[in-house]
Amino acid sequence: MVDLSRKFDVLVIGGGNAALCAAISARRAGASVLVLEGAPKFYRGGNTRHTRNMRCAHDSATDILTGPYTEQEFWDDLLRITGGQTDEELARFMIRESKDILDWIVEQGVRWQPSLGGTLSLGRTNSFFLGGGRAMLNALYRTAEKLGVDILYDAEVTDLLIEDGMFLSAKLKQPVDGISDIRASALVAAAGGFEANIEWLKEYWGDAAENFLIRGTPYNRGSILKMLLAKGVQEVGDPTQCHAVAIDARAPKFDGGIITRHDSVVFGIVVNKHAERFYDEGEDIWPKRYAIWGRLVAAQPDQIAYIVFDASVRHSFMPTLFPPIEGATIAELAEKLTLDPAELEKTIAGFNAAVRPGTFDHTILDDCRTEGLTPPKTHWARKIETAPYYAYPVRPGITFTYLGTRVNRETRMLMKNGKPSANMFAAGEIMAGNVLGKGYAAGIGMTIGSVFGRVAGREAARNARN
């Protein structure tokens, strides 16, 4: 049994990768640690349950990585996807620290496997968890428990007592052994974003948010983030920016996970409900652009779109949970999608006419492109002309939001007056907006969680001892 009458050195709110890295790091630094996970044990771990890999800098090839990925190349990639909307000091610090995380995370029981193939193109840059995110998460929990970290599930926090930037206690919704107020010398907030809070999303997206699907946990409602911002913590990030991918429109409202994501965009075209293309499907290598498609679809009528391709590429990408919709002709496919057959035929005919010959290679920015077409398809453009024809209906799949708490390099939260908090730290998605002003590249979310979680735990333990 956990003795909640005591005052802990470090309280960690959250139960995913960032929270566990913080808890382990703090415990290894000698602190007593309590983790409050708001979800039931079966659903513990937030979005970490649905992850596959982590992007870390490294100087040479390894057993699981095919080549080097330098700090400078990582920075260049981050600069490109964010358009410069990133805290350079924090971002470069994260990249530098990521080199150590590859080994540190293994020391916590996590195992790697060789990268997957297909459209992911991550064999050089990203390390994949053996068994996926849930196996990674289970390994971290086992290590935390062996070290003596106390963990409570179904432990929803309804209030934080904060005075002049100093955390004093957290209030539980449901008392445990008659105790509701949890005291600690330092706080690590690692409770994720607000993507599962549809009403909060509607404040920025309007009624369109009703059509959003939430890829991960229904428990990331942003309550801890909202409390912190209301109690004087400085915010960072655009509230409309988020990790948002195109996922199957047939997916459940919550928790569909990785198996509902589509990686087939580069092999075809994407049209809206009017059978019109609206963006360049070949803009960049897929892992650097897959996370823009949720926002793109969100801006379309009724927040719905369709990935259309033909039989020639049917087995060129990783399959998803739902089978594609099939038609012997473009018109038949359009009718099954409830699109105007004449309009879809016109769009595909125009696309085919604009395709210029080249050498197709989805692993590089090849020379297969369109000419005289708006929007263009700048790479991987091939005619859609081999029956049968296929399509996936897609909607915006929100992974996590970028509005968060501003932190410094110690992950200490900054207050609205510009001063660092006395004893409050943040890690993971709740502070990801410091690094991700917009955009995303595969695996960066886990990097943010692991790097800043480790730092937050270490600094919170140091703060508690002092």
Side-chain angles (χ1 to χ4, degrees), residues 9 15 39 55 66 168 180 292 355 363 389 453:
D9 291 329
R55 180 179 294 256
T66 60
L168 300 175
S180 296
I292 70 169
V355 170
T363 66
Y389 302 94

Side-chain angles (χ1 to χ4, degrees), residues 52-212:
R52 291 191 293 199
N53 60 79
M54 185 187 302
R55 180 179 294 256
C56 293
H58 48 278
D59 294 325
S60 61
T62 70
D63 290 343
I64 57 164
L65 294 161
T66 60
Y69 186 51
T70 66
E71 292 182 40
Q72 186 60 42
E73 185 180 0
F74 195 157
W75 165 249
D76 290 343
D77 284 342
L78 183 62
L79 199 62
R80 189 178 308 112
I81 62 169
T82 61
Q85 294 183 35
T86 183
D87 182 317
E88 182 171 353
E89 181 186 4
L90 276 179
R92 286 190 179 273
F93 172 74
M94 177 198 76
I95 291 168
R96 187 165 60 252
E97 290 286 308
S98 76
K99 296 175 78 170
D100 289 334
I101 282 293
L102 272 173
D103 292 327
W104 184 84
I105 206 79
V106 171
E107 293 168 6
Q108 315 319 315
V110 177
R111 299 172 63 192
W112 302 115
Q113 69 176 41
S115 291
L116 304 178
T119 51
L120 293 175
S121 305
L122 297 174
R124 184 174 61 85
T125 61
N126 287 43
S127 300
F128 278 65
F129 308 121
L130 181 63
R134 192 181 287 266
M136 181 261 197
L137 190 68
N138 289 343
L140 294 181
Y141 269 100
R142 280 194 299 271
T143 297
E145 289 164 352
K146 287 179 182 177
L147 290 172
V149 172
D150 288 312
I151 301 167
L152 283 182
Y153 300 103
D154 286 308
E156 183 179 349
V157 173
T158 58
D159 196 16
L160 298 172
L161 181 57
I162 297 170
E163 293 182 0
D164 298 324
M166 175 175 280
F167 168 79
L168 300 175
S169 64
K171 182 174 288 294
L172 293 176
K173 182 177 182 179
Q174 298 293 336
V176 178
D177 293 333
I179 295 175
S180 296
D181 296 313
I182 310 299
R183 297 174 300 129
S185 297
L187 169 70
V188 176
F194 66 94
E195 63 275 2
N197 189 330
I198 303 300
E199 291 305 311
W200 197 353
L201 290 174
K202 286 172 69 174
E203 291 181 21
Y204 310 111
W205 287 92
D207 290 339
E210 291 285 0
N211 290 324
F212 293 176

Side-chain angles (χ1 to χ4, degrees), residues 13 48 50 65 79 105 127-128 144 181-182 184 196 216 261-262 277 286 310 315 373 427:
I13 301 179
T48 302
H50 297 301
L65 294 161
L79 199 62
I105 206 79
S127 300
F128 278 65
D181 296 313
I182 310 299
R261 193 184 93 190
H262 287 293
R277 291 177 61 249
W286 185 238
D310 69 12
H315 301 291
L373 187 68

Side-chain angles (χ1 to χ4, degrees), residues 148-455:
V149 172
D150 288 312
I151 301 167
L152 283 182
Y153 300 103
D154 286 308
E156 183 179 349
V157 173
T158 58
D159 196 16
L160 298 172
L161 181 57
I162 297 170
E163 293 182 0
D164 298 324
M166 175 175 280
F167 168 79
L168 300 175
S169 64
K171 182 174 288 294
L172 293 176
K173 182 177 182 179
Q174 298 293 336
V176 178
D177 293 333
I179 295 175
S180 296
D181 296 313
I182 310 299
R183 297 174 300 129
S185 297
L187 169 70
V188 176
F194 66 94
E195 63 275 2
N197 189 330
I198 303 300
E199 291 305 311
W200 197 353
L201 290 174
K202 286 172 69 174
E203 291 181 21
Y204 310 111
W205 287 92
D207 290 339
E210 291 285 0
N211 290 324
F212 293 176
L213 303 176
I214 313 307
R215 301 179 69 209
T217 174
Y219 297 95
N220 279 9
R221 295 184 286 266
S223 56
I224 300 300
L225 172 61
K226 184 164 282 192
M227 289 177 213
L228 290 168
L229 298 183
K231 292 175 183 287
V233 175
Q234 190 178 151
E235 71 177 49
V236 68
D238 179 345
T240 71
Q241 291 291 339
C242 53
H243 180 303
V245 305
I247 71 170
D248 202 288
R250 297 163 289 184
K253 184 69 174 178
F254 295 100
D255 232 20
I258 200 78
I259 57 174
T260 62
R261 193 184 93 190
H262 287 293
D263 294 333
S264 52
V265 168
V266 301
F267 293 99
I269 62 172
V270 184
V271 301
N272 60 22
K273 65 176 288 187
H274 301 304
E276 299 168 338
R277 291 177 61 249
F278 51 89
Y279 198 78
D280 180 358
E281 301 91 348
E283 183 180 41
D284 203 345
I285 296 293
W286 185 238
K288 299 176 185 178
R289 281 295 179 268
Y290 78 98
I292 70 169
W293 280 90
R295 289 180 60 83
L296 292 171
V297 175
Q300 297 306 304
D302 295 341
Q303 295 71 55
I304 187 76
Y306 305 88
I307 306 168
V308 181
F309 54 98
D310 69 12
S312 69
V313 298
R314 174 71 176 86
H315 301 291
S316 299
F317 47 85
M318 196 175 301
T320 62
L321 177 65
F322 299 94
I325 296 167
E326 179 180 339
T329 64
I330 295 296
E332 181 183 322
L333 179 65
E335 289 174 356
K336 290 184 177 181
L337 301 176
T338 67
L339 299 178
D340 185 319
E343 287 300 317
L344 185 58
E345 288 177 330
K346 176 183 175 183
T347 294
I348 290 178
F351 173 79
N352 287 346
V355 170
R356 295 295 172 261
T359 303
F360 180 86
D361 186 345
H362 70 79
T363 66
I364 62 172
L365 298 175
D366 71 8
D367 60 351
C368 295
R369 60 183 177 83
T370 60
E371 191 174 282
L373 187 68
T374 303
K377 186 172 182 181
T378 49
H379 305 95
W380 314 301
R382 292 188 293 183
K383 292 181 179 181
I384 300 172
E385 59 184 1
T386 306
Y389 302 94
Y390 300 95
Y392 289 113
V394 291
R395 287 198 180 278
I398 312 300
T399 312
F400 65 92
T401 48
Y402 291 179
L403 176 68
T405 59
R406 189 177 292 278
V407 300
N408 63 17
R409 206 168 76 169
E410 297 175 346
T411 74
R412 195 183 293 263
M413 295 185 218
L414 301 182
M415 307 306 291
K416 288 176 182 174
N417 60 13
K419 295 180 179 179
S421 162
N423 64 346
M424 297 191 298
F425 304 82
E429 293 170 4
I430 200 170
M431 49 70 64
N434 289 273
V435 175
L436 294 170
K438 69 173 185 179
Y440 192 77
I444 286 183
M446 293 299 284
T447 314
I448 291 171
S450 296
V451 167
F452 291 112
R454 181 190 183 193
V455 173

